[in-house]
Amino acid sequence: GLTQALSDDEDDGIESFVNSSLTEIFVDENAYRRQTNRYRFSIAHELAHIVFHQRIFSMLRVESIEDWKRTIQSIPQREYARLEWQAYYFAGHILVPTKELVENLESCRARVMEQGMDPHDESVRPFIEKHLGGIFAVSSEVIHRRTETEKLWR
């Protein structure tokens, strides 16, 4: 019930956090039990905070859900967005290594072309991203962000 406890809106995607001592990662039980891809991404995302944001997190006093809520509300939105982007980007690279992403993307494009379709067609792209997400056990959104950020969709 972590997601529900962390917000009034369960759709905002908050499923994990790390404590200030950087010794514990808390993850929503539903993600752990039923959403393996989401669980894996949440762990990688929180590890990114541990690796890159030690100084910031160690200054915060986050040991409970209530602490987390209070702390997040105290961080300026722009700064919080930057921290989250960095963690998201790191998690995406851990779970989807660039070399393997490029190789699999090229393979998918070739198969799409063999079927007489244009792999650059925007209506085809979501299917390729979903397929690649399955290969790497991540969401198609992770694949989409990686290909956009790194300009791999050429």
Side-chain angles (χ1 to χ4, degrees), residues 82-100:
R82 184 180 64 81
L83 297 174
E84 288 301 303
W85 183 88
Q86 290 171 340
Y88 191 101
Y89 193 74
F90 179 84
H93 273 79
I94 291 291
L95 298 174
V96 185
T98 302
K99 180 182 176 201
E100 287 80 4

PDB file of all heavy atoms in Angstrom, residues 82-100:
ATOM      1  N   ARG A  82      14.714  17.527 -11.400  1.00  0.00           N
ATOM      2  CA  ARG A  82      16.072  17.221 -11.853  1.00  0.00           C
ATOM      3  C   ARG A  82      16.582  15.927 -11.205  1.00  0.00           C
ATOM      4  O   ARG A  82      17.142  15.061 -11.873  1.00  0.00           O
ATOM      5  CB  ARG A  82      17.020  18.377 -11.532  1.00  0.00           C
ATOM      6  CG  ARG A  82      18.441  18.163 -12.073  1.00  0.00           C
ATOM      7  CD  ARG A  82      19.364  19.331 -11.748  1.00  0.00           C
ATOM      8  NE  ARG A  82      19.575  19.503 -10.323  1.00  0.00           N
ATOM      9  CZ  ARG A  82      20.432  18.793  -9.594  1.00  0.00           C
ATOM     10  NH1 ARG A  82      21.143  17.839 -10.148  1.00  0.00           N
ATOM     11  NH2 ARG A  82      20.581  19.011  -8.306  1.00  0.00           N
ATOM     12  N   LEU A  83      16.360  15.790  -9.906  1.00  0.00           N
ATOM     13  CA  LEU A  83      16.787  14.571  -9.203  1.00  0.00           C
ATOM     14  C   LEU A  83      16.094  13.344  -9.780  1.00  0.00           C
ATOM     15  O   LEU A  83      16.720  12.299  -9.994  1.00  0.00           O
ATOM     16  CB  LEU A  83      16.482  14.683  -7.710  1.00  0.00           C
ATOM     17  CG  LEU A  83      17.185  15.774  -6.925  1.00  0.00           C
ATOM     18  CD1 LEU A  83      16.655  15.824  -5.490  1.00  0.00           C
ATOM     19  CD2 LEU A  83      18.686  15.576  -6.931  1.00  0.00           C
ATOM     20  N   GLU A  84      14.799  13.475 -10.017  1.00  0.00           N
ATOM     21  CA  GLU A  84      14.035  12.351 -10.544  1.00  0.00           C
ATOM     22  C   GLU A  84      14.453  12.003 -11.971  1.00  0.00           C
ATOM     23  O   GLU A  84      14.547  10.832 -12.324  1.00  0.00           O
ATOM     24  CB  GLU A  84      12.535  12.655 -10.488  1.00  0.00           C
ATOM     25  CG  GLU A  84      11.991  12.623  -9.075  1.00  0.00           C
ATOM     26  CD  GLU A  84      12.208  11.270  -8.403  1.00  0.00           C
ATOM     27  OE1 GLU A  84      11.749  10.243  -8.938  1.00  0.00           O
ATOM     28  OE2 GLU A  84      12.849  11.230  -7.338  1.00  0.00           O
ATOM     29  N   TRP A  85      14.730  13.015 -12.797  1.00  0.00           N
ATOM     30  CA  TRP A  85      15.171  12.759 -14.164  1.00  0.00           C
ATOM     31  C   TRP A  85      16.489  11.994 -14.154  1.00  0.00           C
ATOM     32  O   TRP A  85      16.666  11.026 -14.893  1.00  0.00           O
ATOM     33  CB  TRP A  85      15.330  14.070 -14.944  1.00  0.00           C
ATOM     34  CG  TRP A  85      15.707  13.822 -16.367  1.00  0.00           C
ATOM     35  CD1 TRP A  85      14.861  13.615 -17.421  1.00  0.00           C
ATOM     36  CD2 TRP A  85      17.041  13.705 -16.892  1.00  0.00           C
ATOM     37  NE1 TRP A  85      15.588  13.384 -18.570  1.00  0.00           N
ATOM     38  CE2 TRP A  85      16.930  13.434 -18.275  1.00  0.00           C
ATOM     39  CE3 TRP A  85      18.308  13.815 -16.325  1.00  0.00           C
ATOM     40  CZ2 TRP A  85      18.038  13.269 -19.099  1.00  0.00           C
ATOM     41  CZ3 TRP A  85      19.422  13.639 -17.152  1.00  0.00           C
ATOM     42  CH2 TRP A  85      19.274  13.373 -18.518  1.00  0.00           C
ATOM     43  N   GLN A  86      17.418  12.424 -13.300  1.00  0.00           N
ATOM     44  CA  GLN A  86      18.709  11.743 -13.220  1.00  0.00           C
ATOM     45  C   GLN A  86      18.536  10.284 -12.797  1.00  0.00           C
ATOM     46  O   GLN A  86      19.169   9.385 -13.367  1.00  0.00           O
ATOM     47  CB  GLN A  86      19.638  12.470 -12.242  1.00  0.00           C
ATOM     48  CG  GLN A  86      20.110  13.798 -12.754  1.00  0.00           C
ATOM     49  CD  GLN A  86      20.850  14.600 -11.699  1.00  0.00           C
ATOM     50  OE1 GLN A  86      20.724  14.370 -10.501  1.00  0.00           O
ATOM     51  NE2 GLN A  86      21.637  15.565 -12.159  1.00  0.00           N
ATOM     52  N   ALA A  87      17.689  10.047 -11.829  1.00  0.00           N
ATOM     53  CA  ALA A  87      17.459   8.668 -11.363  1.00  0.00           C
ATOM     54  C   ALA A  87      16.777   7.839 -12.445  1.00  0.00           C
ATOM     55  O   ALA A  87      17.114   6.668 -12.648  1.00  0.00           O
ATOM     56  CB  ALA A  87      16.632   8.682 -10.079  1.00  0.00           C
ATOM     57  N   TYR A  88      15.831   8.438 -13.147  1.00  0.00           N
ATOM     58  CA  TYR A  88      15.131   7.724 -14.225  1.00  0.00           C
ATOM     59  C   TYR A  88      16.121   7.363 -15.331  1.00  0.00           C
ATOM     60  O   TYR A  88      16.138   6.234 -15.825  1.00  0.00           O
ATOM     61  CB  TYR A  88      13.999   8.596 -14.777  1.00  0.00           C
ATOM     62  CG  TYR A  88      13.070   7.835 -15.697  1.00  0.00           C
ATOM     63  CD1 TYR A  88      11.837   7.369 -15.248  1.00  0.00           C
ATOM     64  CD2 TYR A  88      13.424   7.552 -17.008  1.00  0.00           C
ATOM     65  CE1 TYR A  88      10.998   6.653 -16.082  1.00  0.00           C
ATOM     66  CE2 TYR A  88      12.600   6.843 -17.845  1.00  0.00           C
ATOM     67  CZ  TYR A  88      11.381   6.396 -17.377  1.00  0.00           C
ATOM     68  OH  TYR A  88      10.557   5.677 -18.203  1.00  0.00           O
ATOM     69  N   TYR A  89      16.948   8.300 -15.716  1.00  0.00           N
ATOM     70  CA  TYR A  89      17.910   8.090 -16.793  1.00  0.00           C
ATOM     71  C   TYR A  89      18.906   6.985 -16.422  1.00  0.00           C
ATOM     72  O   TYR A  89      19.189   6.098 -17.220  1.00  0.00           O
ATOM     73  CB  TYR A  89      18.627   9.412 -17.081  1.00  0.00           C
ATOM     74  CG  TYR A  89      19.416   9.411 -18.358  1.00  0.00           C
ATOM     75  CD1 TYR A  89      18.780   9.471 -19.599  1.00  0.00           C
ATOM     76  CD2 TYR A  89      20.801   9.356 -18.331  1.00  0.00           C
ATOM     77  CE1 TYR A  89      19.505   9.479 -20.773  1.00  0.00           C
ATOM     78  CE2 TYR A  89      21.541   9.365 -19.503  1.00  0.00           C
ATOM     79  CZ  TYR A  89      20.889   9.425 -20.725  1.00  0.00           C
ATOM     80  OH  TYR A  89      21.615   9.423 -21.881  1.00  0.00           O
ATOM     81  N   PHE A  90      19.419   7.023 -15.206  1.00  0.00           N
ATOM     82  CA  PHE A  90      20.350   6.005 -14.726  1.00  0.00           C
ATOM     83  C   PHE A  90      19.684   4.629 -14.724  1.00  0.00           C
ATOM     84  O   PHE A  90      20.265   3.649 -15.211  1.00  0.00           O
ATOM     85  CB  PHE A  90      20.825   6.374 -13.323  1.00  0.00           C
ATOM     86  CG  PHE A  90      21.776   5.393 -12.699  1.00  0.00           C
ATOM     87  CD1 PHE A  90      23.131   5.450 -12.959  1.00  0.00           C
ATOM     88  CD2 PHE A  90      21.310   4.425 -11.813  1.00  0.00           C
ATOM     89  CE1 PHE A  90      24.023   4.554 -12.361  1.00  0.00           C
ATOM     90  CE2 PHE A  90      22.192   3.529 -11.213  1.00  0.00           C
ATOM     91  CZ  PHE A  90      23.544   3.596 -11.492  1.00  0.00           C
ATOM     92  N   ALA A  91      18.486   4.542 -14.186  1.00  0.00           N
ATOM     93  CA  ALA A  91      17.771   3.262 -14.139  1.00  0.00           C
ATOM     94  C   ALA A  91      17.563   2.712 -15.544  1.00  0.00           C
ATOM     95  O   ALA A  91      17.726   1.508 -15.782  1.00  0.00           O
ATOM     96  CB  ALA A  91      16.430   3.429 -13.423  1.00  0.00           C
ATOM     97  N   GLY A  92      17.205   3.585 -16.471  1.00  0.00           N
ATOM     98  CA  GLY A  92      17.021   3.155 -17.856  1.00  0.00           C
ATOM     99  C   GLY A  92      18.291   2.572 -18.456  1.00  0.00           C
ATOM    100  O   GLY A  92      18.244   1.598 -19.210  1.00  0.00           O
ATOM    101  N   HIS A  93      19.447   3.130 -18.110  1.00  0.00           N
ATOM    102  CA  HIS A  93      20.709   2.614 -18.627  1.00  0.00           C
ATOM    103  C   HIS A  93      21.124   1.316 -17.955  1.00  0.00           C
ATOM    104  O   HIS A  93      21.719   0.450 -18.590  1.00  0.00           O
ATOM    105  CB  HIS A  93      21.815   3.665 -18.464  1.00  0.00           C
ATOM    106  CG  HIS A  93      21.874   4.606 -19.602  1.00  0.00           C
ATOM    107  ND1 HIS A  93      20.993   5.660 -19.731  1.00  0.00           N
ATOM    108  CD2 HIS A  93      22.671   4.649 -20.684  1.00  0.00           C
ATOM    109  CE1 HIS A  93      21.271   6.309 -20.837  1.00  0.00           C
ATOM    110  NE2 HIS A  93      22.272   5.719 -21.426  1.00  0.00           N
ATOM    111  N   ILE A  94      20.838   1.186 -16.689  1.00  0.00           N
ATOM    112  CA  ILE A  94      21.169  -0.055 -15.985  1.00  0.00           C
ATOM    113  C   ILE A  94      20.368  -1.221 -16.567  1.00  0.00           C
ATOM    114  O   ILE A  94      20.906  -2.294 -16.831  1.00  0.00           O
ATOM    115  CB  ILE A  94      20.848   0.071 -14.472  1.00  0.00           C
ATOM    116  CG1 ILE A  94      21.804   1.057 -13.812  1.00  0.00           C
ATOM    117  CG2 ILE A  94      20.887  -1.278 -13.766  1.00  0.00           C
ATOM    118  CD1 ILE A  94      23.234   0.587 -13.728  1.00  0.00           C
ATOM    119  N   LEU A  95      19.085  -0.997 -16.781  1.00  0.00           N
ATOM    120  CA  LEU A  95      18.195  -2.071 -17.226  1.00  0.00           C
ATOM    121  C   LEU A  95      18.210  -2.283 -18.737  1.00  0.00           C
ATOM    122  O   LEU A  95      17.842  -3.365 -19.211  1.00  0.00           O
ATOM    123  CB  LEU A  95      16.771  -1.790 -16.747  1.00  0.00           C
ATOM    124  CG  LEU A  95      16.604  -1.733 -15.230  1.00  0.00           C
ATOM    125  CD1 LEU A  95      15.196  -1.296 -14.866  1.00  0.00           C
ATOM    126  CD2 LEU A  95      16.936  -3.068 -14.584  1.00  0.00           C
ATOM    127  N   VAL A  96      18.594  -1.262 -19.474  1.00  0.00           N
ATOM    128  CA  VAL A  96      18.606  -1.340 -20.938  1.00  0.00           C
ATOM    129  C   VAL A  96      19.947  -0.793 -21.438  1.00  0.00           C
ATOM    130  O   VAL A  96      20.053   0.380 -21.804  1.00  0.00           O
ATOM    131  CB  VAL A  96      17.431  -0.539 -21.555  1.00  0.00           C
ATOM    132  CG1 VAL A  96      17.385  -0.730 -23.066  1.00  0.00           C
ATOM    133  CG2 VAL A  96      16.099  -0.919 -20.924  1.00  0.00           C
ATOM    134  N   PRO A  97      20.973  -1.622 -21.450  1.00  0.00           N
ATOM    135  CA  PRO A  97      22.282  -1.157 -21.918  1.00  0.00           C
ATOM    136  C   PRO A  97      22.213  -0.668 -23.369  1.00  0.00           C
ATOM    137  O   PRO A  97      21.525  -1.260 -24.208  1.00  0.00           O
ATOM    138  CB  PRO A  97      23.162  -2.402 -21.803  1.00  0.00           C
ATOM    139  CG  PRO A  97      22.446  -3.296 -20.844  1.00  0.00           C
ATOM    140  CD  PRO A  97      20.988  -3.005 -21.021  1.00  0.00           C
ATOM    141  N   THR A  98      22.919   0.401 -23.650  1.00  0.00           N
ATOM    142  CA  THR A  98      22.834   1.053 -24.959  1.00  0.00           C
ATOM    143  C   THR A  98      23.165   0.119 -26.108  1.00  0.00           C
ATOM    144  O   THR A  98      22.429   0.065 -27.099  1.00  0.00           O
ATOM    145  CB  THR A  98      23.751   2.295 -24.997  1.00  0.00           C
ATOM    146  OG1 THR A  98      23.344   3.180 -23.952  1.00  0.00           O
ATOM    147  CG2 THR A  98      23.659   3.004 -26.330  1.00  0.00           C
ATOM    148  N   LYS A  99      24.251  -0.615 -26.010  1.00  0.00           N
ATOM    149  CA  LYS A  99      24.656  -1.496 -27.109  1.00  0.00           C
ATOM    150  C   LYS A  99      23.557  -2.495 -27.447  1.00  0.00           C
ATOM    151  O   LYS A  99      23.193  -2.676 -28.615  1.00  0.00           O
ATOM    152  CB  LYS A  99      25.946  -2.232 -26.746  1.00  0.00           C
ATOM    153  CG  LYS A  99      26.440  -3.162 -27.823  1.00  0.00           C
ATOM    154  CD  LYS A  99      27.686  -3.911 -27.392  1.00  0.00           C
ATOM    155  CE  LYS A  99      28.078  -4.898 -28.484  1.00  0.00           C
ATOM    156  NZ  LYS A  99      28.914  -5.955 -27.982  1.00  0.00           N
ATOM    157  N   GLU A 100      23.001  -3.125 -26.421  1.00  0.00           N
ATOM    158  CA  GLU A 100      21.952  -4.115 -26.639  1.00  0.00           C
ATOM    159  C   GLU A 100      20.660  -3.463 -27.145  1.00  0.00           C
ATOM    160  O   GLU A 100      19.950  -4.029 -27.963  1.00  0.00           O
ATOM    161  CB  GLU A 100      21.679  -4.908 -25.359  1.00  0.00           C
ATOM    162  CG  GLU A 100      22.778  -5.895 -25.009  1.00  0.00           C
ATOM    163  CD  GLU A 100      23.995  -5.262 -24.331  1.00  0.00           C
ATOM    164  OE1 GLU A 100      23.974  -4.037 -24.053  1.00  0.00           O
ATOM    165  OE2 GLU A 100      24.964  -5.991 -24.084  1.00  0.00           O
TER     166      GLU A 100
END
